[in-house]
Amino acid sequence: MTNETRIATTLSSVQFATAPNGRRVAVIDAEDWDALIEWLEDREDHEIILSALERLQSGPEASGAIPLEDILDEL
């Protein structure tokens, strides 16, 4: 099962309850919750990587890249 398939299955299995204060709340299995959080973090990482790649394609100087030597000198 792919991660996307698992997420779709998880979202379709969410149940809802009404809290004592009247708010509608979602109830989800803890393992499914962990998988959902992991998937969201992976998607966020993916977007960060795509953004960095776009910047880096403009070249090292235009992208604001720091030379490795400068970083190593600071260590």
Side-chain angles (χ1 to χ4, degrees):
M1 178 182 300
T2 67
N3 209 11
E4 282 78 15
T5 303
R6 181 168 182 192
I7 296 307
T9 302
T10 296
L11 292 176
S12 67
S13 69
V14 172
Q15 298 198 8
F16 297 92
T18 303
N21 64 2
R23 288 188 63 200
R24 190 169 174 224
V25 296
V27 180
I28 185 171
D29 179 80
E31 285 183 25
D32 290 341
W33 174 256
D34 291 339
L36 179 59
I37 294 300
E38 183 178 337
W39 180 80
L40 289 169
E41 289 171 346
D42 288 348
R43 296 298 307 162
E44 181 181 38
D45 292 346
H46 180 78
E47 293 301 319
I48 290 169
I49 289 168
L50 288 179
S51 174
L53 284 175
E54 288 176 15
R55 273 196 340 265
L56 290 173
Q57 287 175 347
S58 65
E61 290 155 8
S63 70
I66 301 170
L68 177 60
E69 295 80 20
D70 293 351
I71 294 172
L72 292 176
D73 288 343
E74 291 182 22
L75 295 177

